[in-house]
Amino acid sequence: MKDFILAIVAAGLAVFIYVDSRTFAAPQGGLAKDPALYPQMLALILALLAVALAVNVIRGKRLNEKIVLDRQALFNVGRLVVILCLYVFAIVYVGFPVSTVLFIYVGVVALGGSRLTAAKLCLPVALALYVVFFVLFQMPMPVGKLWEGL
Amino acid sequence: MSFEFYTAGWQLFTLPVLAYMLLGTVIGIIIGALPGLTAMMAVSVLVPLTYTLSPTAGIIMLLGVYCGANYGGSISATLVNIPGTPSAVMTTMDGYPLGQKGKAGLAIGTATVASGLGGIFSVVTMAMFAPLIANIALKFTSLEIFAIALFGVTIMGYISPGSVLKGLISGVFGLLIGCIGFDPTTAVPRFTFGEQNLLSGVQFVAAMIGLFGLAEILLASEKIKDLQTRPELFKMQNPLECLKYLRTLWGNLLRSSVIGVIVGAVPGTGGTIAAIVGYAVQKKVSKNPEGMGKGAVEGIAAPEAANNACCGGALTTLLSLGIPGDAVTAILIGAFVLHGLTPGPMLFESNPDLVSAIFIGMFLIQMLIIALGLNFAQYFAKLLLVPRPILNTIILALCVVGTYGVQNSIFDIGTMIVFAVLGYVMAKASIPRAPIVLALILGPVMEENLRRWLSLAEGHVLESLAGAFTTNPIAMAILAITALTLVLPLFQKSGRLNEGMAEHIVGGKK
């Protein structure tokens, strides 16, 4: 069933690419200058592969295979993605140092580490990252909108 | 190539470059030894770090990570029966049983020496053949370059573990992602949906960190309880004992190294396949095949020599043709691009000092692997005891900061997160991720050369194609093989290859 869904998604994507490519403004100059040519070729290949995959699933009688969803696993992954997104927002507003200290603490706890270990580690790890990236490798550091006026 | 060419790389003997080489090799061994962390992840996360380094220092450091990680997998394979990297999967067959017999030191020593010698053999073949292939490739026209790039993406999809069709779909999807941004010929924006940040295309480093770095952590975070378990380690004594067996292993090492180099040079293969083939061949020719799988030294030497020799093979095609031999070398292209370099035959003309430094550096890295492995393997193994929640959180922070560092863009971090979710979904659906990376790199090369050829054909496409059978026979032969590769899965009953390996590699490491 998973493969059949993939085939449908791939076929849908192929159609979208083909149709969207037709809106590209093509200057004069034949095939070589046509910006839609290459994506349309790829869309056709993708559509062919999608059909082949669907046929394989049907021929192999794999259409009724069930998709087993592990809700707890999905929750864990989703939570981590949300924490990451919050970390990115925090970097924008409060800058790298503060947000990284918070992120290390929350990340370690979310991944199953103890709160005490997380509390002990968050500052040294953030400091080490700061030294490696921004002192040693001299990358520009996001300061954070909150502190920009100060 | 002249003697001057091979000695141009002596510029690498400066303290910073040597220090970064050592650092990269150590990081590689550590990452390789930690199950769940792969060479792909390590190289992709560290690519942005090399941004501020000189091209030589940055690329040598990443090569150290690549080769070190390929070797490091054998440490956990031997000591805890979990391959640190997929390419160490065959090392568990004899490494762990030997450890159970109280000879973990001998097992690690054999793996170290075999890895180092396999790597040295591959470096020598790379230094011999890469300039020759590059010399031939310099005469290639746009049709040959297009054909080789198309072949690279197709074969990567074809050989990737699991379903061939899904591998090919993954490759085409990567090529489509490569279309995002300004059209290279007419500067018409394609698939940007009005987003200014997409006009220059999807940031490659962000995409690969997401697909291979962050996605692996997302996969590992599924089972939080598994992250809290700590393995029990064998005690390691006297790894130098392996030198006593070296006399009996020469044939094995040479054979497995040749296998590794050949497998590595085929785009889309990699160390895992090399190790499996190396082990299987050794079992066939062994005088004591019944002993293999029960702690035989030859069963450790064969896969380890093969998987490390693979590095040189993969780099040979990368440097000479610009076609990566495996997923890690595909990511390495990102490092070259980041430093304004394009791997391929022109690199030998424009940067002979760098190419030569890569040859010499690769040789030194193998020596470092032997020295570090024999002396410090037990200390690297102790890192298996570091709690995974801490390690994974640090990697997450590295992914975010590293992605930001490439062009100081928060948008890139968003791109990375999107690709991480995509990578996670792909892993759950058993869709290989490596073809996307290769396609992202080769897509623009393919399109540019296809359109250049079309431009030269001046509207007589069919006539030019027919004429190419006599004017460009190499290109037509490669295109014929590629077409066959594309058409074959349509007629296959299941479209599936090697399910067991698919579970192992695509589904993450156990």
Side-chain angles (χ1 to χ4, degrees), chain A residues 1-5 54 56-68:
Chain A
M1 190 64 187
K2 264 196 290 194
D3 288 1
F4 195 70
I5 293 171
N56 260 335
V57 173
I58 295 164
R59 273 170 59 190
K61 292 174 184 163
R62 290 186 284 130
L63 203 56
N64 295 328
E65 279 176 10
K66 280 187 181 170
I67 300 172
V68 185

Side-chain angles (χ1 to χ4, degrees), chain B residues 141-202:
Chain B
T141 65
S142 48
L143 191 60
E144 271 94 8
I145 299 171
F146 166 74
I148 290 172
L150 180 65
F151 175 74
V153 176
T154 312
I155 205 74
M156 179 74 113
Y158 198 83
I159 294 176
S160 290
S163 162
V164 175
L165 282 169
K166 288 200 271 186
L168 292 172
I169 287 174
S170 170
V172 176
F173 185 57
L175 291 175
L176 284 168
I177 295 171
C179 291
I180 295 173
F182 282 129
D183 170 50
T185 313
T186 60
V188 171
R190 299 186 298 191
F191 312 116
T192 56
F193 311 106
E195 176 57 60
Q196 298 284 316
N197 287 297
L198 286 176
L199 286 175
S200 54
V202 169

